[in-house]
Amino acid sequence: MEHVPPPAEELARLDRELAELDARRAQLLTRRAWLLAALRPPAPTAAPGWNPSAWGAPPSGRPGGPAQPWGHVPPKQPSAPRSAQNVLLTLGGLLLTIAAIAFTLVSWGSMGIGGRSAVLALVTVGALASPAVLLRRGLTATAEALAALALVLTLLDAYAVHAVAAPDTDGLGFTAVAAAVLAALWTAYGLALGKLRLPLPAAVVLAQWPLLFGAWAAGAPALVAGWALLATAVLDGAIALWGKGTAARVTACVGGSAMAFSALMVGLTLSVTAAGPLGALAPGALLLTAAAAALAGAWRAPKGFARAGGVVAGLAVVAAVGGVPAAALPEGWRVLAYLLAGLALTTVVRTRLPKNAAIGVLVASAAVVAGALVGALPGLAAVLLGPVTLLSDVWAGSPGGFRSAVGSTLPWSELAAAPVVLALVAGLLGAAYRWWPSAARIAAPLIAREEPGSAGAAAYGAGPAGAQGTGTPEAGGAAAPGASGAPWYAGGRAGAPWYAGGRAGAPWYAGGAPAARRRPSEAALRGAAGAGAAVLGWGALLLAGAVLDVPYAIAVAGETVLVAGLLALAVRGAGSGREASAAVPVTALVVASAAAVSAGLLALASEGASYAVFGALTALFAGASVRAGAGVPRAVFAVAATVGGTVLSGFAGRSLGLAPHEAAPLVLLVPALTVLFGARLRRNPVALPVELTGALGAVVAVGLAVPDAPFLALVLALCGVLAAGAAVRPERRPVAGHLAAALFVLATWVRLAASEVSFPEAYALPVTVPALVVGFLRRRRDAEASSWTAYGPGLAATLLPSLAVAWTDPHWQRPLLLGVAALVVTLLGARYRLQALLVLGGAVLALDGLRELAPYVVQVASALPRWLPPALAGLLLLVVGATYEQRLRDARRLKDALGRMR
């Protein structure tokens, strides 16, 4: 069935699509005008510079037209005279300022009261009046420099008045009054001389201090200082929204942010430290007023500032509303009051608040909820990781309670509200998952809400040339905010042609505006809500057991029941096939695995609990693997059941009082069952993970048997039997067959080493015999197979080590037996024309014979005259040289004969 969205959502979608079409049409028209202008004849004179990689920007008077021919590079200009003028004016103003400060601080006492007043009045009035004259003559930079000097002089006048006329006046109070007077003076001065950029920002800076210093001078409490800070922040916000000049508005924005933050910190500190609910009312009023001011500013502010204002307002409301009941609650339960206040902020979706401000409030609500959940993490981590300490003392005895088993020293009384917090959030997420259509209808007005003027701005992107939406090369022209950037007639399809703007097929001249942000689907959001409910609900129940310190038996049984519930949820969700619930079974599967590990660790304190818990977990996971559909969940369930069975077999050995190496054969029971299980399932996707898990269990058994060599040989042989059983199946034969052979050989070697056998033949023959049998079978199946591949490794494994030992063996038995064996191998190679047997056997036979003759050769050589060996060598060379051609033909015939062998 096709999903029909609610009317409000469909209306919002249609409005967005119409705006995208209008924006795309405007972009194409602008581009068309630019192309027409580009096709006009170029200017007759060449440009002063040329660079094929540069682009000219269209002039502001002709939309879309190129300002210069393509590739034009404007020539470098020397330093502008205006820049030099600014440097001179800055240095001059700085010197005058230094002189004025020195005059005020140093030379002031050398003049009478009349002279002082006359000098200050004359210089200040002159500095204030000069910019007006200079502005009429167009000397703006000079006027700015004199205005800066006048600002410093007014500050020095205020200092001089306090030092001479009112030395006994309180410094803070006088500073507050002086700041107010100077702020008013410079505001009027800046409005009167609107071309000056300095007076209004200076007035804003001066306006930050009157209320704060006045409250400080009066010795007012912190709450009054907070109100003073908030009033200053409100004034700054009004200036930022309606003030004249960008510099003044930016200055007001920075100052207002600092003052608002200070006011909020004062209110929050007083609210948190209040002695009771009545004491939290006054700070709450300050915070609520700050929230109202933030929302009022967010109502008219741009997008980013509106969202920031919404966040500030939401957090202030939570601190104000939650602080009153929190003051009456114990320390561990205060978080619940703030959480409820944060959850109440979600009702903003039904108000008429602007969209961006409402989003900011919702972000504040999410931040409060996240903070409350983070506060519960230490207790939950202690419950999950605490039982790890039981690994060092397995079956030491049942603890008295859950906290004793966990072994944590956390202040559990301060975490009393943590399970309630987790349960409350889990319940809300579960309700949203269960009644998702109703929740979507509630949030639909916020989704469909549009900001004032946003449609026009998005559609046409009005602005000067080169701004977004002009389609010029310099502008990085903005295409319509469609998903694929296809032309309006392509319906937003991917793979748009080269002349269409946007992401797909974007041309060289289109910078491409960012595509509309992809919002997650309703199915994904609903799945996330369900997954969060499952995780938080599990954590709430675990943490509740620790907070209540339930008995150990109840804690173990409770965790096992939780695993059963999570497995049921995972199996039910995996079989439903609904997209909305896809995240829920995956999360339930992961959490069930973690819960099983936690329950298993907790059960290690008692022998009976260990058998009961691991038996139940094995049965639960096995049942889940049977009920689950084919796929990854089923394999995970089967693997977990295999691990549980392996642990149970290890418990059996411990209960029987067996040493670890004696219990190793018992651990191999589960790998044996996995081999049978794999033979039953054959090519089922679950078979391979289960068999690999059984192989890991066999590795554990080998590790347990390492301290005792005879048991290690036994375990290796049993593993070889299991591998040989798996090799019966054709799909496992390539790996399991080689593994079985290696395990059998390794088991034989370990057994021989344990029996202190030092003959190399005892270690080599168990390798040689199977290798020769395999080679013989291969030669029967493939007569063209090389004898080196079939028989070479097996023969070399025995002949070469025996030859090496025979050369140092003082007895005659080994060389004799080795010579007989090499002779037999050589004759067989000659009889059946096998190159490997002939070469290996002949070489070993020759070397073995040389070893026997070596002592006699040495004796004969020592008895002969010294001139005889060179003579015999020379005679041999003469004979070989005389019959060289014949010997060469004999060597070639020998080579050909060997080459014809296999």
Side-chain angles (χ1 to χ4, degrees):
M1 296 178 61
E2 184 179 359
H3 171 67
V4 179
E9 181 181 352
E10 186 174 3
L11 177 61
R13 185 182 302 171
L14 292 176
D15 290 341
R16 286 195 298 270
E17 292 179 357
L18 290 174
E20 292 172 3
L21 291 176
D22 291 340
R24 182 58 182 165
R25 184 175 184 275
Q27 191 268 344
L28 291 175
L29 290 175
T30 305
R31 180 61 192 166
R32 181 177 180 275
W34 191 89
L35 291 173
L36 290 176
L39 293 175
R40 294 173 184 171
T45 57
W50 180 260
N51 185 355
S53 63
W55 308 97
S60 58
R62 188 175 64 186
Q68 299 290 346
W70 290 354
H72 170 74
V73 177
K76 294 183 178 180
Q77 300 292 338
S79 299
R82 186 73 65 178
S83 302
Q85 179 188 16
N86 291 336
V87 173
L88 295 176
L89 290 173
T90 301
L91 291 176
L94 181 61
L95 292 175
L96 287 175
T97 301
I98 295 173
I101 294 174
F103 169 76
T104 303
L105 297 178
V106 179
S107 302
W108 184 263
S110 62
M111 301 180 63
I113 186 63
R116 301 171 187 175
S117 302
V119 170
L120 280 176
L122 181 61
V123 174
T124 304
V125 171
L128 290 173
S130 298
V133 179
L134 295 173
L135 287 175
R136 285 196 297 270
R137 297 190 177 185
L139 302 176
T140 306
T142 308
E144 290 284 356
L146 288 178
L149 176 62
L151 174 62
V152 176
L153 288 174
T154 54
L155 295 176
L156 293 175
D157 288 339
Y159 168 76
V161 169
H162 179 264
V164 176
D168 298 330
T169 307
D170 180 63
L172 289 175
F174 184 85
T175 303
V177 174
V181 172
L182 290 177
L185 172 64
W186 281 98
T187 300
Y189 188 76
L191 293 176
L193 302 178
K195 293 184 179 180
L196 293 178
R197 291 176 290 181
L198 179 63
L200 289 180
V204 172
V205 174
L206 291 170
Q208 307 301 309
W209 313 113
L211 293 178
L212 177 61
F213 284 169
W216 194 357
L223 183 61
V224 177
W227 282 104
L229 290 170
L230 179 59
T232 305
V234 171
L235 176 62
D236 289 332
I239 296 173
L241 289 175
W242 298 291
K244 180 182 179 182
T246 303
R249 298 174 71 176
V250 171
T251 305
C253 184
V254 175
S257 300
M259 293 297 173
F261 177 78
S262 302
L264 290 172
M265 289 298 101
V266 170
L268 179 62
T269 303
L270 294 176
S271 176
V272 172
T273 58
L278 294 179
L281 288 177
L286 174 63
L287 293 171
L288 286 177
T289 305
L295 284 181
W299 202 286
R300 298 180 59 87
K303 178 179 179 180
F305 291 97
R307 293 190 178 183
V311 172
V312 172
L315 294 177
V317 168
V318 170
V321 177
V324 176
L329 295 174
E331 183 71 23
W333 290 90
R334 292 185 177 182
V335 64
L336 193 58
Y338 292 106
L339 176 62
L340 293 175
L343 292 174
L345 292 180
T346 56
T347 58
V348 74
V349 298
R350 305 299 295 178
T351 63
R352 299 183 62 84
L353 201 65
K355 182 176 181 179
N356 287 317
I359 291 175
V361 175
L362 292 178
V363 170
S365 175
V368 172
V369 174
L373 295 177
V374 168
L377 286 181
L380 190 58
V383 172
L384 292 177
L385 301 179
V388 175
T389 58
L390 297 175
L391 290 173
S392 60
D393 196 8
V394 178
W395 296 355
S398 300
F402 196 3
R403 296 182 189 175
S404 301
V406 170
S408 176
T409 59
L410 287 176
W412 293 104
S413 59
E414 297 181 5
L415 297 174
V420 180
V421 170
L422 295 176
L424 179 60
V425 179
L428 292 176
L429 291 177
Y433 175 78
R434 175 64 179 83
W435 294 285
W436 184 260
S438 301
R441 284 195 299 270
I442 293 174
L446 176 63
I447 298 175
R449 197 177 306 165
E450 295 291 342
E451 292 298 320
S454 62
Y460 296 101
Q468 181 179 0
T470 61
T472 63
E474 291 294 337
S484 63
W488 61 271
Y489 52 82
R493 296 188 300 270
W498 62 270
Y499 49 80
R503 290 185 179 179
W508 54 266
Y509 54 79
R517 286 177 297 176
R518 299 179 182 273
R519 295 189 179 94
S521 63
E522 289 192 11
L525 292 175
R526 184 178 184 182
V535 174
L536 295 178
W538 167 67
L541 293 175
L542 277 184
L543 201 52
V547 170
L548 298 175
D549 196 18
V550 298
Y552 174 74
I554 296 178
V556 172
E559 290 204 23
T560 308
V561 171
L562 283 178
V563 175
L566 290 169
L567 288 177
L569 182 61
V571 172
R572 180 181 178 185
S576 63
R578 294 183 302 170
E579 181 185 1
S581 60
V584 177
V586 175
T587 305
L589 174 60
V590 175
V591 176
S593 302
V597 173
S598 177
L601 292 175
L602 187 64
L604 294 178
S606 171
E607 182 178 3
S610 299
Y611 279 107
V613 169
F614 277 95
L617 292 177
T618 303
L620 288 172
F621 278 102
S625 66
V626 173
R627 295 295 302 274
V632 175
R634 188 174 188 180
V636 173
F637 293 145
V639 167
T642 305
V643 172
T646 305
V647 175
L648 284 174
S649 63
F651 287 164
R654 185 180 179 88
S655 298
L656 294 174
L658 301 177
H661 63 274
E662 295 174 339
L666 286 177
V667 178
L668 291 177
L669 290 176
V670 175
L673 292 177
T674 59
V675 172
L676 297 176
F677 186 72
R680 178 72 175 82
L681 293 178
R682 290 190 174 274
R683 297 187 181 274
N684 192 294
V686 180
L688 180 60
V690 171
E691 290 181 85
L692 290 177
T693 307
L696 291 178
V699 172
V700 172
V702 171
L704 292 174
V706 165
D708 189 271
F711 267 95
L712 178 60
L714 174 62
V715 171
L716 289 173
L718 293 175
C719 291
V721 172
L722 296 179
V728 174
R729 298 156 52 196
E731 67 274 10
R732 301 284 186 263
R733 189 169 299 156
V735 176
H738 294 85
L739 180 61
L743 288 172
F744 281 130
V745 171
L746 189 58
T748 304
W749 287 354
V750 171
R751 183 65 243 185
L752 291 172
S755 301
E756 299 181 355
V757 175
S758 59
F759 302 116
E761 293 81 7
Y763 296 90
L765 287 176
V767 178
T768 298
V769 173
L772 292 178
V773 171
V774 172
F776 176 75
L777 295 176
R778 180 175 180 183
R779 288 276 299 172
R780 287 186 59 184
R781 186 172 62 253
D782 182 11
E784 299 297 325
S786 173
S787 61
W788 288 102
T789 304
Y791 302 117
L795 291 174
T798 297
L799 294 179
L800 297 182
S802 298
L803 178 64
V805 175
W807 270 77
T808 59
D809 192 350
H811 304 286
W812 59 271
Q813 291 88 352
R814 176 178 279 111
L816 177 60
L817 294 175
L818 179 61
V820 172
L823 179 61
V824 172
V825 170
T826 305
L827 294 176
L828 289 175
R831 170 67 179 80
Y832 295 102
R833 304 184 63 81
L834 298 176
Q835 186 181 105
L837 276 68
L838 182 62
V839 172
L840 280 175
V844 171
L845 181 61
L847 292 174
D848 186 60
L850 181 62
R851 183 265 175 195
E852 293 298 321
L853 294 176
Y856 305 103
V857 172
V858 171
Q859 292 178 5
V860 172
S862 60
L864 294 176
R866 294 185 178 182
W867 56 266
L868 188 58
L872 293 176
L875 181 61
L876 177 63
L877 291 177
L878 289 176
V879 173
V880 171
T883 60
Y884 176 75
E885 295 296 335
Q886 182 62 34
R887 301 285 81 77
L888 187 60
R889 286 193 295 270
D890 294 340
R892 288 175 180 172
R893 283 198 298 270
L894 178 62
K895 177 183 176 182
D896 294 339
L898 289 175
R900 287 192 295 270
M901 294 182 179
R902 299 302 302 171

